[in-house]
Amino acid sequence: MSSACVVGAGVFGASLARELALRDWDVTLVEQHTPGTVRSASGGDTRLLRAAHGDSEWYTASAVRARTLWLELEAATRTRIWEGVGLAWLARRPDGFEAASVPVLERLGIEHDWLAPDGARGLFPSLAADDLHAVLYEPGAGVLHARRATQLLVADGERHGVTFQGARLAPGDDPPGDVIVWACGAWLPQLFPSLVAVEVSRRDVFFLGGDRSWLGVPGFVDYDGGFYGHGDVAGLGVKIAPDSASDTIDPDTLDRLPSAYWEAEARTYAARRFPSLAGAPVLGGRVCQYDLSADTHFIVDRHPERDRWWLVGGGSGHSFKHGPALAEYVADCIEGTRERETFHALGSRAGDAGLRTGST
Ligand SMILES: Cc1cc2nc3c(=O)[nH]c(=O)nc-3n(C[C@H](O)[C@H](O)[C@H](O)COP(=O)(O)OP(=O)(O)OC[C@H]3O[C@@H](n4cnc5c(N)ncnc54)[C@H](O)[C@@H]3O)c2cc1C
């Protein structure tokens, strides 16, 4: 039996540890805090799952595969992690990310509607659509209960033989195992500064108190406006999240109190885009971090000098949804049955694939 040590129990590490255990590997999963800690990017309350990824077929197919795997995990564990509320892309241009997504959705047979702005009004209790060109609606998209799902992956992994260990490891610890996977999210660049070029950048999210008409409302992405969110899910409130450039931070020392600046931005956006939310109280906020690669592609690669070591990260603000599908891909790469995609390589990156929910 081959052995693996996976360092980091965010969605990447937890999914991979479970996947390797399902493939009969002897797996140890090591985490410095607790799985789903709010200090990790995977420890948020909710994360969107959508198929549309512009013209990228790889990420579109991965999201769809991941959805199947999330639903299987939910059914197998009888634990609710999925809200199938759909998602609306608020397209401001005829030639933007949304329009680029459509041919891929069509090629892969993924259900979607390209709606006139007025035709989308019924999706939300109120929607200001005057600046929209169209709305791309994905009925199969939805919202994952992220922290719960991360903890479920670890618990289910343990049921399948994963050994969990609480510790903070460094490369100098040289953990034992046939394969070592460093899946350390925003901590990856400080562990491998010469190899991992990601910017660790703060993000604030807010939950607003809408009335009952906001229950079961779809997720939304205003890609060119730099905002995303969803209706009221499980009593959390309506999520309004800015997705524009923000401060570079240290994930160990960041005070996670929402900023007054981003709160004002979120309130202003909500009142403008969804007029019935004007004046709604803020029910809560969270501060987390993106680990942004220069082109928003993930990192999946072998360490150039340590053949047994793999580095997995660079989630770039859009990786949660992919967790279990990415784990299948990484496990295949480790087992040598699939080639690592060139766009996941370590090293310098050019361009901006723009795969997250904001273009700025
Ligand atoms: C505000 C926000 C909104 C987002 N929205 C979405 C969304 O809607 N849809 C979507 O798909 N994605 C979204 N994302 C992105 C997604 O959540 C992240 O890309 C994903 O969770 C990253 O997972 P990860 O496992 O790589 O990192 P993390 O979740 O950060 O996990 C890394 C883990 O490694 C541990 N660790 C680090 N160093 C060590 C060490 N030396 N030893 C032991 N343990 C260590 C950490 O404690 C942590 O638990 C969002 C992210 C944020 C911050």
Side-chain angles (χ1 to χ4, degrees), residues 103-320:
V104 182
L105 298 176
E106 278 169 4
R107 258 200 316 280
L108 299 186
I110 298 160
E111 198 181 348
H112 62 283
D113 292 307
W114 185 259
L115 304 169
D118 279 347
R121 283 189 203 282
L123 293 173
F124 299 94
S126 66
L127 174 71
D130 51 297
D131 60 340
L132 299 183
H133 170 76
V135 171
L136 170 61
Y137 180 58
E138 290 188 47
V143 176
L144 287 155
H145 292 278
R147 188 179 326 113
R148 192 185 302 162
T150 304
Q151 291 167 345
L152 191 61
L153 285 166
V154 176
D156 198 59
E158 286 182 291
R159 266 194 292 280
H160 289 94
V162 171
T163 302
F164 180 81
Q165 192 186 322
R168 179 164 176 140
L169 295 185
D173 295 322
D174 199 4
D178 298 322
V179 167
I180 313 301
V181 182
W182 299 89
C184 299
W187 291 262
L188 203 57
Q190 46 177 270
L191 293 170
F192 301 98
S194 63
L195 296 176
V196 176
V198 304
E199 180 194 321
V200 179
S201 163
R202 159 186 192 128
R203 287 297 183 285
D204 294 43
V205 310
F206 297 92
F207 294 94
L208 269 54
D211 63 21
R212 287 189 62 80
S213 66
W214 285 92
L215 286 168
V217 162
F220 73 92
V221 181
D222 188 342
Y223 188 82
D224 288 322
F227 279 88
Y228 67 95
H230 56 64
D232 192 346
V233 165
L236 288 165
V238 180
K239 182 171 178 176
I240 303 286
D243 195 359
S244 305
S246 188
D247 301 341
T248 301
I249 58 91
D250 178 334
D252 284 320
T253 57
L254 176 66
D255 281 326
R256 291 168 190 271
L257 291 171
S259 89
Y261 172 80
W262 288 116
E263 180 190 325
E265 291 286 301
R267 283 184 192 271
T268 302
Y269 178 83
R272 156 81 182 96
R273 179 61 73 204
F274 305 113
S276 71
L277 290 177
V282 172
L283 303 184
R286 289 239 174 248
V287 180
C288 199
Q289 68 276 327
Y290 282 180
D291 49 341
L292 284 165
S293 68
D295 58 4
T296 67
H297 282 294
F298 306 151
I299 295 169
V300 178
D301 207 352
R302 271 184 208 277
H303 189 288
E305 284 142 28
R306 309 286 298 260
D307 207 39
R308 298 182 299 123
W309 287 16
W310 286 78
L311 274 53
V312 178
S316 301
H318 68 99
S319 76
F320 193 90

Side-chain angles (χ1 to χ4, degrees), residues 8 11-12 31-32 41-42 47-48 169 228 318-321:
V11 73
F12 279 4
E31 166 59 44
Q32 63 182 349
S42 307
R47 296 290 182 252
L48 300 177
L169 295 185
Y228 67 95
H318 68 99
S319 76
F320 193 90
K321 66 182 77 57

